[in-house]
Amino acid sequence: MGGQSKTGGQSKAGSQRAAVAADPYFPDNGDARYRVNRYELALEYRPGPNRLAGTARLSAIAGRAPLPEFFLNLAEFKVGRVLVDGRAPHYVHRGGRLRIRPAKPLPAGAAFTVEVHWSGNPRPVRSPWGGLGWEELTDGALVASQPVGAPSWYPCNDRPADKASYQISVNTPSPYTVVAGGRLLTRTTRASTTTWVYEQPAPTSSYLVGLSVGMYQTVLLGDPGLGGVPQSAYVPTHLLPRFSRDFARQPAMMQLFERLFGPYPFGEYAVVVADEELDVPVEAQGMSQFGTNHVDGVRGSERLIAHELAHQWFGNSVTIADWRHIWLNEGFAKYAEWLWSEATGGRTAHAHAAAAHRLLSALPQDLRLADPGRKLMFDDRLYQRGGLSVHAVRCALGDDAFFPMLRDWATVNRHGVVTTAAFAAHVARYATAPVDDLLEAWLQFPALPPLPAPPVPARPLQPPAGGPTGWGRLPV
């Protein structure tokens, strides 16, 4: 999630087994007894009455034990039909859970399909941070689901470690543009409605399935060149002049992050600017959503552009096993802001770290980064201390080891699931001296450690020379 407010790599097969129990922060969300391989969602949405009707087909696999029943998370819609392997099961829909009991228990390890038909007026689900998920706009809608808002619009196994591919089809009145994370396969207009079909083949957590419906102009950001990342933006017409300046450096940002973090993990990247203010920008898989307040024509939110783009590596591709480890998302995205500043002639990462340290030293020190608790998981201190912790690792390793460590963390765990312990083990492989005490102090204890000495050699990042984005001609 953008802004603030509101430990060695594992193999993907091994890391996918990292979370087999209920999420300790949200025990009512997600069912660890099975996993979903693929979702196929066919939706009809009418913005005026905010009316949604949908069919979901899930391809899933039972776990290591027979499955006499299982559940999906789904908000208070009317459920019209449920099928398991083409047969009607017994089901109960209550309290945000759709509990399903097949006619016969599903054998351990069995592949099965679930089909759900639902309809109603989507609205955000309640949470300690206000409404989450489907948000009706003045003219359109968007989805901002982190951490538990996905059931506000479709039935899902709502746990971050259960990652699946998605195909999303949305039929809506033709004046509207539909944007979802992934590649646009088809856009078909019949009479007064248009059906948009998107495919996201990469493993995706339910909270990271993005969707936006609105009146947008499509903008291509730069020329990706051969093998580059296609970058598109969907922007209200009246914001285009300001947007063109605020987001002009995003292609260069993509180039820098690919150099530091490894190849961009998805097929494309989309930016949506909703035609109203949002508290904070929100990342989704392959896309990010901003509000009018993030487009001011003077690059006032450029750090947030960097933050949301960095989440494509840290959070979306490399995904936390459960919400205790959220600092692995937000700390790395925060540090990416500092790296972008350093590489483009702004304050160095160490200067940002020193400012964060001063801020945190004046605040209560009751936050344990590796397990902050549900109440503090989006606290501003988690973002700042997360970035500081990454910087402390940089200072301990030195740049010659830190940057290969950082790139390998994102590459080895690409499309996988990780924990804080996995990160600690990964860092240890690149260290010439023990780092256990350092990591324990920053991650496991609330007290703020001293500001680490700057990395040696203390040199700022240099932007890459040349390239299709023309670093020598960065907009100013």
Side-chain angles (χ1 to χ4, degrees):
M1 184 179 292
Q4 301 104 233
S5 77
K6 172 162 183 184
T7 228
Q10 295 171 293
S11 71
K12 280 183 278 186
S15 63
Q16 290 284 9
R17 293 193 293 270
V20 295
D23 190 299
Y25 292 1
F26 304 98
D28 292 333
N29 284 67
D31 189 336
R33 296 171 295 179
Y34 72 99
R35 58 187 175 89
V36 183
N37 287 331
R38 181 170 175 79
Y39 291 81
E40 295 177 354
L41 307 179
L43 310 175
E44 291 190 9
Y45 179 61
R46 299 296 174 263
N50 187 39
R51 183 73 178 175
L52 180 69
T55 300
R57 181 178 174 86
L58 287 63
S59 300
I61 298 178
R64 296 180 178 179
L67 204 58
E69 69 167 18
F70 60 93
F71 71 84
L72 296 166
N73 292 108
L74 179 64
E76 302 306 313
F77 291 97
K78 178 182 178 182
V79 175
R81 188 183 189 191
V82 178
L83 298 174
V84 177
D85 289 334
R87 301 181 63 185
H90 176 76
Y91 69 87
V92 176
H93 183 212
R94 183 181 301 119
R97 280 188 171 193
L98 179 60
R99 189 173 296 277
I100 300 170
R101 180 173 296 171
K104 294 182 179 180
L106 298 166
F112 63 99
T113 61
V114 184
E115 186 174 310
V116 180
H117 299 241
W118 76 101
S119 62
N121 298 104
R123 59 181 181 270
V125 297
R126 290 191 296 271
S127 83
W129 310 278
L132 296 174
W134 189 281
E135 184 173 344
E136 183 183 8
L137 304 177
T138 303
D139 193 13
L142 62 78
V143 168
S145 293
Q146 187 179 357
V148 290
S152 69
W153 65 288
Y154 76 101
C156 56
N157 190 12
D158 192 31
R159 50 199 300 265
D162 194 20
K163 302 170 72 170
S165 66
Y166 280 78
Q167 184 175 104
I168 302 175
S169 168
V170 182
N171 178 273
T172 200
S174 294
Y176 292 89
T177 297
V178 174
V179 187
R183 181 164 63 97
L184 178 62
L185 296 182
T186 61
R187 183 179 63 186
T188 306
T189 298
R190 291 189 177 90
S192 61
T193 66
T194 298
T195 301
W196 305 69
V197 181
Y198 284 86
E199 176 73 27
Q200 176 55 271
T204 307
S205 298
S206 52
Y207 84 93
L208 289 170
V209 182
L211 185 69
S212 184
V213 180
M215 301 285 192
Y216 300 126
Q217 292 290 319
T218 304
V219 179
L220 299 180
L221 291 171
D223 180 0
L226 186 63
V229 180
Q231 299 176 61
S232 302
Y234 301 86
V235 186
T237 302
H238 68 96
L239 293 176
L240 284 173
R242 281 184 281 168
F243 175 88
S244 63
R245 178 171 176 79
D246 290 333
F247 283 76
R249 305 209 293 184
Q250 184 180 283
M253 199 179 285
M254 177 72 79
Q255 186 187 14
L256 175 69
F257 288 175
E258 284 200 299
R259 179 165 71 101
L260 297 179
F261 310 148
Y264 178 73
F266 308 110
E268 52 285 303
Y269 183 57
V271 168
V272 178
V273 179
D275 200 5
E276 55 188 78
E277 294 189 358
L278 302 180
D279 289 341
V280 292
V282 179
E283 76 274 10
Q285 189 117 317
M287 66 182 288
S288 296
Q289 303 192 66
F290 297 81
T292 56
N293 49 314
H294 304 125
V295 181
D296 58 12
V298 294
R299 296 205 183 101
S301 295
E302 190 168 80
R303 73 170 186 87
L304 300 178
I305 298 171
H307 187 105
E308 302 310 326
L309 178 58
H311 271 312
Q312 302 305 319
W313 286 266
F314 305 112
N316 300 9
S317 174
V318 181
T319 303
I320 53 176
D322 62 58
W323 291 106
R324 290 174 297 180
H325 311 286
I326 188 172
W327 85 272
L328 289 170
N329 294 0
E330 302 303 346
F332 280 83
K334 170 57 68 175
Y335 201 66
E337 297 177 29
W338 300 352
L339 292 174
W340 171 249
S341 171
E342 182 172 301
T344 52
R347 286 198 296 175
T348 65
H350 190 73
H352 280 285
H357 195 274
R358 288 193 297 271
L359 173 68
L360 290 173
S361 64
L363 297 174
Q365 296 179 29
D366 58 355
L367 181 145
R368 181 182 168 217
L369 197 61
D371 188 0
R374 189 169 76 169
K375 181 179 178 181
L376 298 179
M377 62 184 285
F378 292 119
D379 193 290
D380 178 52
R381 293 172 296 163
L382 181 135
Y383 292 69
Q384 299 289 348
R385 182 159 176 158
L388 260 172
S389 298
V390 177
H391 188 68
V393 171
R394 180 182 178 184
C395 294
L397 297 185
D399 283 4
D400 290 343
F402 171 78
F403 285 106
M405 181 282 297
L406 183 64
R407 183 183 175 100
D408 290 349
W409 173 249
T411 302
V412 170
N413 296 293
R414 183 181 175 98
H415 302 317
V417 174
V418 296
T419 63
T420 299
F423 177 69
H426 180 78
V427 171
R429 295 190 180 104
Y430 296 79
T432 57
V435 291
D436 292 357
D437 290 346
L438 171 88
L439 292 171
E440 189 172 44
W442 281 99
L443 305 178
Q444 302 296 344
F445 293 108
L448 182 66
L451 177 69
V456 179
R459 60 180 187 270
L461 283 176
Q462 296 299 313
T469 54
W471 271 87
R473 301 183 304 279
L474 270 180
V476 295

